[in-house]
C-alpha cells in the first residue's frame, strides 16, 4: 500500500528498495497517542492502516479538529519547517504506520521530483483548508455579532408591541365601561356627534424637545385641575391622553354647559378611552411594521431562496445592510447618501457583497468611535459600478496602508478585531467579482472604493 500512494508512486525500483531499508514500523492501539501538540517533530509518519484523530488545545480544553483515515501522510510540514507540532495525533482505531527520519525525507526531496511535488501539494492543500476554516470562522463570528445586534434591535419594537397589547386590555375595559355609561345617561345626539368627531381628529406633531416636554407637563396639570373642578375623580389618569391628542379645557367648556354632570363625565371618559385605544393600536402597528422591516431587510441581506449570482440593485443591498446595522449607527453616526439611481443592475453574489458592505461600514464606524458622518456614494465609470464608503474618522497612517488587506493585520485593540474583515472584503471583491478595492486615507477620514464590473466574466462565459 505504501508505494500505491501518490507520494511514493514516482520512485524508481532502486529508491523503493532503499526506502524499505530506511523506514521504521509502528503499531498503535486505539487511544494511543502518536504525537502531542507542541512537541518537536523528528519523523515523517505515513498511516497505512486505521484512522488518526487530531485535536487542538483551545482555552484549556481539547477540541477535535479532524479525523485522518489511511492512507495519509502526517507531520511532514512541521518536520521540514522545524516548527512545533500544531496538533495532537491519537489513534482513533488500531493503527499501522511507518516513519521516515528527516535525513531520509530530505534525500527524497532532493532526488525525487514527484515526491517533492506531492509533499508541497499536500502542504498547500492543508494551508488552503486552514485558510478557509479561519475565514469561515470569522464569517460565523461576524454573523454572531450581527445576530446579537439584530436581537437588540428587534427587542425594542417587540417590547413596544407587547406593552401596547398589554395596555389594550385595560383600555378596552375602560372603553366598555365608558360606552355603557353613555348609553345609561342618554347623552344628547349633538354632543355625541361632537365627541365622535373629536375622537377621529388626527393627533398633533409631538414636540420632543425638553421645552416641549415641560409645556406638556404643565398643560396636563392645568387640565387635571379643570377636570377636578367639574367633578372628575382621578383626573390625572384622563388629562395626559387628552393633552397628547391636542385638547385644551376651553374646547370642553361648551359641552360641559349643554350636558349634565353625569353626561359630561361619561362623554369625556369615553373620549379618553377611545383616544387611548387609538394610540395603543398605532403603537402596535408601528412596532409590528418595524419588526417586519428588519426581517425583510435580513431576508434580502442574506438573499434567501435566490440564485447565488444575479443582477441586483446595489443600493438595495447597501440599504439592507444599514437597516440591520442600525444598532451600531444610532448612537451618533449620521448617514449621508449620494446614490446614482441611474446605475444599472450589477451581477454579484448578493449575500457575499452584503458581507463586504457590512465589513466596510463596521470598519468605518469603529474608525469614528461610533460618532461622525458616514457617506456612501455610487456612480458609473465606464463598465464599472463604483461605490465609495467614506468616514470622518482619524484616518490611516501611510505606513499601514500597504498592509491593510493582509490577513490577521489589525490596528484595533485586543478583542475589538482579528484583522480578517478587510481581508474578506478584498477577497470577495477582487477574487470573486473581478473587481477592485482601494483605500484613500487622509487627516479628514478614510474612503474605501469598490469597483465592480457591470458584466461578470462567468456570466459572459455562459
Amino acid at each position: 500500500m505504501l508505494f500505491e500512494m501518490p507520494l511514493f508512486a514516482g520512485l524508481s525500483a532502486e529508491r523503493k528498495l532503499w526506502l524499505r531499508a530506511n523506514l521504521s514500523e509502528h503499531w498503535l492501539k486505539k487511544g494511543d497517542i502518536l504525537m502531542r501538540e507542541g512537541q518537536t517533530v523528528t519523523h515523517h509518519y505515513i498511516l497505512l492502516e486505521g484512522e488518526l484523530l487530531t485535536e487542538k488545545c483551545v482555552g484549556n480544553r481539547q477540541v477535535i479538529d479532524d479525523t485522518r483515515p489511511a492512507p495519509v501522510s502526517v507531520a511532514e510540514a512541521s518536520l521540514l519547517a522545524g516548527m512545533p507540532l500544531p496538533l495532537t495525533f491519537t489513534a482513533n482505531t488500531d493503527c499501522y504506520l511507518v516513519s521516515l527520519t528527516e535525513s531520509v525525507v530530505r534525500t527524497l526531496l532532493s532526488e525525487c521530483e514527484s515526491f517533492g511535488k506531492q509533499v508541497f501539494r499536500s502542504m498547500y492543500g492543508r494551508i488552503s483548508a486552514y485558510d478557509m476554516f479561519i475565514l469561515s470562522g470569522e464569517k460565523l463570528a461576524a454573523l454572531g455579532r450581527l445576530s446579537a445586534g439584530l436581537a437588540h434591535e428587534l427587542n425594542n419594537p417587540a417590547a413596544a408591541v407587547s406593552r401596547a397589547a398589554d395596555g389594550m386590555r385595560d383600555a378596552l375595559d375602560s372603553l366598555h365601561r365608558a360606552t355603557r355609561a353613555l348609553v345609561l345617561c342618554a347623552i344628547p345626539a349633538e354632543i355625541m356627534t361632537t365627541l365622535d368627531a373629536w375622537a377621529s381628529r388626527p393627533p398633533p406633531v409631538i414636540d420632543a424637545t425638553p421645552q416641549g416636554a415641560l409645556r406638556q407637563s404643565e398643560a396636563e396639570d392645568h387640565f387635571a385641575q379643570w377636570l377636578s373642578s367639574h367633578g372628575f375623580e382621578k383626573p390625572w389618569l384622563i388629562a395626559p391622553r387628552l393633552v397628547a391628542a391636542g385638547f385644551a379645557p376651553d374646547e370642553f367648556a361648551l359641552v360641559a354647559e349643554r350636558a349634565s354632570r353625569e353626561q359630561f363625565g361619561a362623554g369625556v371618559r369615553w373620549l379618553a378611552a377611545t383616544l387611548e385605544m387609538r394610540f395603543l393600536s398605532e403603537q402596535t402597528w408601528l412596532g409590528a411594521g418595524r419588526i417586519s422591516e428588519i426581517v425583510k431587510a435580513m431576508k434580502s441581506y442574506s438573499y434567501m431562496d435566490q440564485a447565488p449570482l444575479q443582477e441586483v440593485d446595489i443600493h438595495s443591498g447597501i440599504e439592507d445592510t444599514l437597516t440591520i446595522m442600525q444598532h451600531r449607527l444610532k448612537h451618533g453616526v449620521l448617514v449621508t447618501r449620494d446614490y446614482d439611481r441611474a446605475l444599472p443592475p450589477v451581477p454579484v453574489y448578493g449575500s457575499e457583497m452584503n458581507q463586504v458592505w457590512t465589513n466596510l461600514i463596521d470598519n468605518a464606524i469603529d474608525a469614528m468611535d461610533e460618532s461622525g458622518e458616514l457617506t456612501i456614494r455610487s456612480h458609473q465609470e465606464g463598465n464599472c459600478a463604483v461605490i465609495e464608503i467614506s468616514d470622518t474618522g482619524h484616518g490611516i497612517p501611510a505606513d499601514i496602508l500597504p498592509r491593510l488587506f493582509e490577513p490577521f493585520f489589525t490596528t484595533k485593540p485586543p478583542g475589538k478585531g482579528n484583522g480578517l474583515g478587510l481581508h474578506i472584503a478584498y477577497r470577495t471583491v477582487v477574487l470573486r467579482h473581478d473587481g477592485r478595492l482601494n483605500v484613500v486615507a487622509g487627516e479628514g477620514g478614510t474612503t474605501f472604493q469598490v469597483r465592480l464590473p457591470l458584466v461578470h466574466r462567468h456570466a459572459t462565459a455562459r
Side-chain angles (χ1 to χ4, degrees):
M1 180 180 290
L2 178 67
F3 298 115
E4 294 175 2
M5 295 176 63
L7 188 63
F8 302 103
L11 296 182
S12 64
E14 182 182 353
R15 272 300 172 198
K16 289 179 180 179
L17 291 174
W18 174 82
L19 186 61
R20 286 183 185 277
N22 285 277
L23 60 76
S24 301
E25 296 180 296
H26 307 270
W27 289 267
L28 299 178
K29 294 291 187 182
K30 181 179 180 179
D32 289 348
I33 294 177
L34 175 64
M35 294 178 289
R36 294 186 182 275
E37 179 181 353
Q39 81 174 58
T40 301
V41 179
T42 58
H43 289 75
H44 172 201
Y45 290 91
I46 299 96
L47 176 67
L48 296 176
E49 295 179 10
E51 182 180 76
L52 291 173
L53 176 71
T54 59
E55 297 175 291
K56 187 170 184 62
C57 184
V58 178
N60 296 321
R61 66 187 184 92
Q62 289 294 113
V63 177
I64 294 176
D65 172 71
D66 197 6
T67 55
R68 301 188 185 182
V72 66
S73 177
V74 178
E76 68 277 16
S78 296
L79 175 68
L80 294 172
M83 300 293 291
L85 195 68
L87 301 167
T88 295
F89 290 81
T90 305
N92 207 30
T93 63
D94 291 348
C95 296
Y96 168 61
L97 309 92
V98 297
S99 66
L100 309 176
T101 64
E102 182 177 354
S103 61
V104 171
V105 174
R106 294 196 179 278
T107 299
L108 290 173
L109 279 174
S110 63
E111 297 183 7
C112 182
E113 183 179 352
S114 63
F115 179 83
K117 285 183 177 180
Q118 290 298 325
V119 166
F120 291 119
R121 185 174 296 170
S122 174
M123 292 168 62
Y124 178 79
R126 289 177 189 170
I127 291 172
S128 298
Y130 184 70
D131 184 38
M132 291 303 299
F133 174 78
I134 291 294
L135 292 177
S136 298
E138 167 60 18
K139 289 182 179 180
L140 287 174
L143 180 61
R145 294 192 295 270
L146 199 61
S147 299
L150 276 174
H152 177 75
E153 195 68 17
L154 283 169
N155 182 64
N156 292 331
V161 170
S162 179
R163 287 193 301 269
D166 188 55
M168 277 184 178
R169 290 183 293 190
D170 293 335
L172 188 60
D173 289 340
S174 298
L175 183 60
H176 175 75
R177 291 193 298 268
T179 302
R180 184 173 183 275
L182 279 178
V183 174
L184 293 176
C185 72
I187 191 169
E190 63 273 14
I191 295 179
M192 191 64 225
T193 299
T194 299
L195 293 174
D196 191 48
W198 285 353
S200 302
R201 193 164 76 180
V205 177
I206 298 175
D207 185 355
T209 65
Q211 295 81 1
L214 180 60
R215 285 193 293 269
Q216 179 160 335
S217 179
E218 292 173 348
E220 291 173 2
D221 290 340
H222 176 63
F223 212 143
Q225 292 173 10
W226 187 87
L227 290 173
S228 180
S229 68
H230 284 74
F232 280 82
E233 296 181 359
K234 300 180 180 179
W236 58 86
L237 297 178
I238 301 174
R241 178 50 49 212
L242 298 176
V243 171
F247 291 100
D250 294 345
E251 296 181 82
F252 287 80
L254 183 60
V255 175
E257 292 175 0
R258 295 165 56 190
S260 67
R261 175 168 288 198
E262 181 184 6
Q263 290 171 338
F264 180 64
V268 172
R269 288 188 175 88
W270 176 86
L271 176 62
T274 301
L275 293 172
E276 182 70 13
M277 278 294 295
R278 189 175 73 177
F279 170 77
L280 292 172
S281 63
E282 180 74 9
Q283 292 299 302
T284 302
W285 182 81
L286 290 174
R290 178 58 180 161
I291 292 172
S292 178
E293 177 187 351
I294 294 172
V295 171
K296 181 181 178 182
M298 190 61 197
K299 181 175 181 180
S300 180
Y301 175 90
S302 61
Y303 281 77
M304 294 165 58
D305 305 323
Q306 299 183 39
L309 179 65
Q310 55 198 297
E311 292 189 345
V312 304
D313 177 2
I314 210 72
H315 306 114
S316 297
I318 295 172
E319 287 300 314
D320 290 336
T321 304
L322 291 172
T323 297
I324 66 172
M325 293 188 71
Q326 187 60 34
H327 62 284
R328 295 216 61 202
L329 297 167
K330 64 184 180 183
H331 299 297
V333 176
L334 173 66
V335 180
T336 301
R337 299 163 174 85
D338 183 11
Y339 294 157
D340 178 5
R341 291 295 185 179
L343 195 67
V346 185
V348 296
Y349 296 93
S351 60
E352 294 183 33
M353 278 310 304
N354 285 343
Q355 182 66 46
V356 171
W357 310 136
T358 300
N359 289 342
L360 295 182
I361 292 172
D362 189 64
N363 194 74
I365 296 171
D366 284 340
M368 297 186 291
D369 295 326
E370 300 191 1
S371 180
E373 184 176 4
L374 176 70
T375 303
I376 305 176
R377 302 181 183 88
S378 68
H379 63 276
Q380 182 176 347
E381 286 186 9
N383 293 324
C384 287
V386 181
I387 298 88
E388 296 178 343
I389 297 177
S390 305
D391 63 68
T392 55
H394 45 69
I396 303 172
D399 59 325
I400 290 177
L401 284 176
R403 302 190 59 194
L404 204 58
F405 300 117
E406 291 181 9
F408 306 110
F409 177 78
T410 180
T411 59
K412 298 177 183 178
K416 191 71 174 178
N418 56 17
L420 285 174
L422 292 179
H423 176 63
I424 291 174
Y426 182 85
R427 287 169 59 104
T428 302
V429 172
V430 177
L431 302 182
R432 287 285 281 169
H433 293 86
D434 305 315
R436 291 172 58 190
L437 177 57
N438 301 318
V439 58
V440 178
E443 295 182 359
T446 304
T447 296
F448 283 91
Q449 186 182 77
V450 177
R451 290 177 177 270
L452 297 170
L454 293 174
V455 179
H456 197 274
R457 65 177 180 180
H458 298 304
T460 57
R462 289 194 296 270

